[in-house]
C-alpha cells in the first residue's frame, strides 16, 4: 500500500501529516493538505518510496479525521 491521497473535504488543516512526513504532504494556502510527493498533486498516482512508508504511516495515524487514504493501486 504505497499510493496515498488526502480526502480534502475531511481535512481540518491540522498540519500533523506535514509534520510527520514533510516530503509527502504539504499544506495549501488554506492549510488543507495535499500529497506533493513526486509532483503528485494529490492525485494518488505516484508510488511512494519504501524508505518513506514509515513516515507515511505516522502521518496517517496522526491525522485526527482519518482523511489520508491509502491504496495498493493508483487512485486514478
Ligand atoms: Fe488534514 Fe489530516 Fe493532514 S486533518 S492537515 S490531512 S493530518
Amino acid at each position: 500500500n504505497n499510493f496515498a491521497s488526502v480526502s480534502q473535504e475531511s481535512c481540518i488543516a491540522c498540519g500533523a501529516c506535514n509534520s510527520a512526513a514533510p516530503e509527502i504532504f504539504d499544506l495549501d494556502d488554506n492549510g488543507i493538505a495535499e500529497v506533493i510527493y513526486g509532483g503528485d498533486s494529490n492525485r494518488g498516482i505516484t508510488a511512494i518510496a519504501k524508505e518513506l512508508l514509515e513516515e507515511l504511516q505516522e502521518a496517517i495515524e496522526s491525522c485526527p479525521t482519518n482523511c489520508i487514504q491509502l491504496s495498493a493501486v493508483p487512485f486514478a
Side-chain angles (χ1 to χ4, degrees), residues 2 5 10 12-16 20 23 26 28 31 33 35 45 48 50-51 58 61 63-64 66-70 74:
N2 57 350
S5 181
S10 301
I12 57 167
C14 81
E23 291 178 72
D26 200 2
D28 70 14
V35 174
I45 60 171
I48 293 170
K50 64 175 186 297
E51 309 87 78
E58 282 170 26
E61 287 167 15
C63 177
N66 293 317
C67 63
I68 302 170
Q69 310 297 317
L70 198 58

Side-chain angles (χ1 to χ4, degrees), residues 27-52:
L27 308 177
D28 70 14
D29 291 344
N30 296 317
I32 302 299
E34 59 185 339
V35 174
I36 52 149
Y37 181 78
D40 189 70
S41 299
N42 205 48
R43 290 170 294 171
I45 60 171
T46 309
I48 293 170
K50 64 175 186 297
E51 309 87 78
L52 290 175

